[in-house]
């Protein structure tokens, strides 16, 4: 049982969902006043929701009943329960691998038992993650990644940079003007120098969010770039200013979070982009194969 599922065994939210993820799913169904509350909460998440009802309403410039209707539309039974959910999430999003050293993680009676348990957790992550993407959001992000008038930059953190690299390798084969932000953070400024409204930043940031990644994304957005964030169910601070947010579930019976769902999510976008544009891509891929062949020795295949 995951951290949040354990805490919510008698709660209101569907298993595995956070308040933040639920807000993103329901944003379009809220009234203008409720949407104002939602966006304000997401800009200072989850701390604002831990304020008293009166203070929250005052900061949002809405009535107390509006806050309570907003909480009710999320499927949560009352403001105290809403705050309890947020406190659970705040604890979960800050957990380090050491903090996750719990008996239920270490309890592995046999190899087969643990394999099945871990596989099921990862499969659940994939299902929750893919189900959380609204069709309109998927199409909008796909259009951005396929728009060759836009330059696409990819950036990841300590662990998620491997996913940025994998996605970059595919994207650069499918289209021009794709860059992977690499090197020490102090050198990232060179990538920001030419960023403007013709740019898209695809950024990966999961819990124990990396401050340098947040700073880079915020400056890219300030310069006009559209920011597409891929994060976990507790939401990176980048969600405050990202134009698009993809939520992936990362919990697993391990001291380490699982990146499998994020990989599947990115592979889905690559496959959709390739399938949609294959008629225009055939010549490019053929040319790429020809160029690659120039660098192959007689006895070594470097593809």
């Amino acid at each position: 049982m995951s951290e949040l599922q354990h805490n919510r065994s008698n709660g209101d939210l569907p298993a595995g969902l956070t308040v933040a993820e639920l807000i993103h799913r329901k944003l379009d169904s809220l009234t203008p006043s409720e949407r104002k509350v939602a966006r304000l909460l997401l800009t200072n998440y989850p701390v604002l929701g831990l304020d008293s009802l009166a203070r929250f309403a005052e900061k949002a410039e809405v009535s107390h009943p509006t806050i309570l209707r907003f909480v009710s539309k999320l499927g949560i039974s009352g403001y105290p329960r809403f705050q309890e959910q947020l406190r659970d999430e705040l604890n979960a999003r800050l957990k380090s691998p050491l903090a996750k050293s719990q008996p239920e993680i270490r309890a592995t009676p046999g190899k087969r038992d643990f394999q099945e348990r871990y596989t099921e957790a990862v499969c659940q992550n994939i299902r929750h993650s893919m189900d959380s993407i609204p069709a309109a959001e998927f199409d909008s992000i796909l259009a951005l990644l396929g728009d060759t008038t836009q330059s696409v930059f990819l950036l990841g953190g300590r662990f998620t940079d491997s996913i940025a690299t994998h996605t970059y390798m595919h994207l650069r084969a499918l289209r021009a003007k794709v860059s992977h932000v690499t090197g020490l953070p102090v050198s990232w400024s060179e990538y920001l120098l030419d960023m403007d409204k013709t740019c898209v930043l695809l950024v990966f940031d999961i819990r124990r969010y990396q401050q340098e990644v947040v700073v880079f994304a915020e400056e890219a957005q300030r310069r006009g770039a559209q920011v597409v964030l891929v994060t976990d169910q507790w939401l990176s601070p980048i969600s405050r200013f990202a134009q698009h947010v993809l939520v992936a579930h990362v919990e697993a019976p391990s001291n380490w979070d699982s990146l499998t769902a994020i990989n599947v999510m990115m592979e889905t976008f690559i496959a959709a982009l390739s399938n949609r544009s294959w008629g225009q891509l055939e010549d490019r891929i053929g040319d790429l194969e020809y160029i690659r062949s120039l660098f192959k020795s007689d006895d070594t295949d470097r593809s």
Side-chain angles (χ1 to χ4, degrees):
M1 184 178 291
S2 72
E3 299 158 23
L4 292 179
Q5 284 174 319
H6 175 74
N7 290 332
R8 293 174 182 172
S9 57
N10 63 343
D12 308 285
L13 297 189
L17 285 187
T18 62
V19 173
E21 186 176 355
L22 201 57
I23 290 172
H24 275 283
R25 288 190 181 194
K26 293 183 173 289
L27 201 56
D28 290 341
S29 66
L30 301 177
T31 66
S33 293
E34 292 161 355
R35 198 174 297 122
K36 181 180 179 183
V37 172
R39 293 195 184 282
L40 185 64
L41 175 58
L42 290 176
T43 61
N44 191 14
Y45 187 85
V47 177
L48 183 60
L50 299 176
D51 256 342
S52 68
L53 176 60
R55 286 283 293 159
F56 192 179
E58 179 184 351
K59 290 178 181 178
E61 298 180 335
V62 298
S63 66
H64 293 194
T66 298
I67 301 288
L68 295 177
R69 282 195 300 271
F70 164 71
V71 169
S72 178
K73 282 193 176 180
L74 296 181
I76 302 174
S77 56
Y79 198 70
R81 183 59 180 155
F82 169 71
Q83 292 192 311
E84 183 182 344
Q85 304 277 15
L86 292 179
R87 281 191 291 270
D88 287 347
E89 290 179 30
L90 185 59
N91 290 331
R93 77 190 300 200
L94 297 175
K95 277 197 171 180
S96 70
L98 286 174
K100 292 178 68 180
S101 294
Q102 301 166 1
E104 63 268 24
I105 287 177
R106 296 195 302 270
T108 54
K111 179 181 177 183
R112 178 59 57 187
D113 291 337
F114 182 72
Q115 285 179 336
E116 291 177 357
R117 183 178 171 211
Y118 196 93
T119 300
E120 179 57 28
V122 169
C123 289
Q124 286 276 32
N125 283 347
I126 294 170
R127 283 191 286 268
H128 283 313
S129 302
M130 299 308 294
D131 288 347
S132 74
I133 309 175
E137 185 82 325
F138 184 90
D139 291 341
S140 296
I141 295 171
L142 191 63
L144 280 178
L145 296 179
D147 184 358
T148 54
T149 67
Q150 302 260 26
S151 296
V152 177
F153 293 80
L154 295 97
L155 173 65
R158 282 179 292 274
F159 289 100
T160 52
D161 188 61
S162 63
I163 300 176
T165 301
H166 184 241
T167 307
Y168 162 73
M169 295 295 287
H170 282 287
L171 275 180
R172 75 172 184 176
L174 297 178
R175 51 158 295 164
K177 297 194 288 189
V178 182
S179 300
H180 181 198
V181 180
T182 59
L184 296 173
V186 69
S187 69
W188 294 354
S189 55
E190 297 162 12
Y191 294 94
L192 284 167
L193 190 60
D194 298 318
M195 278 199 182
D196 56 25
K197 63 182 180 181
T198 67
C199 299
V200 175
L201 174 65
L202 178 57
V203 57
F204 303 86
D205 193 34
I206 62 173
R207 67 174 165 184
R208 303 195 78 198
Y209 312 105
Q210 197 167 331
Q211 183 60 22
E212 300 96 330
V213 174
V214 176
V215 169
F216 184 98
E218 188 164 18
E219 181 61 19
Q221 190 272 341
R222 192 187 70 79
R223 289 169 176 267
Q226 294 196 65
V227 176
V228 179
L229 168 66
V230 184
T231 187
D232 53 31
Q233 61 262 49
W234 301 284
L235 294 193
S236 160
I238 297 170
S239 63
R240 298 195 306 265
F241 48 84
Q243 282 76 30
H244 301 280
V245 178
L246 294 170
V247 176
H249 287 244
V250 299
E251 282 187 290
S254 166
N255 295 97
W256 310 98
D257 287 332
S258 168
L259 303 183
T260 305
I262 304 178
N263 268 310
V264 171
M265 193 178 282
M266 290 301 100
E267 288 179 3
T268 303
F269 277 98
I270 294 297
L273 184 60
S274 179
N275 293 345
R276 187 184 71 169
S277 309
W278 188 251
Q280 294 77 42
L281 286 172
E282 282 188 282
D283 288 344
R284 178 179 175 85
I285 299 300
D287 197 24
L288 176 60
E289 290 299 313
Y290 163 71
I291 295 171
R292 282 177 174 171
S293 71
L294 300 178
F295 294 92
K296 290 179 183 177
S297 66
D298 292 338
D299 58 352
T300 304
D301 185 346
R302 297 180 181 178
S303 62

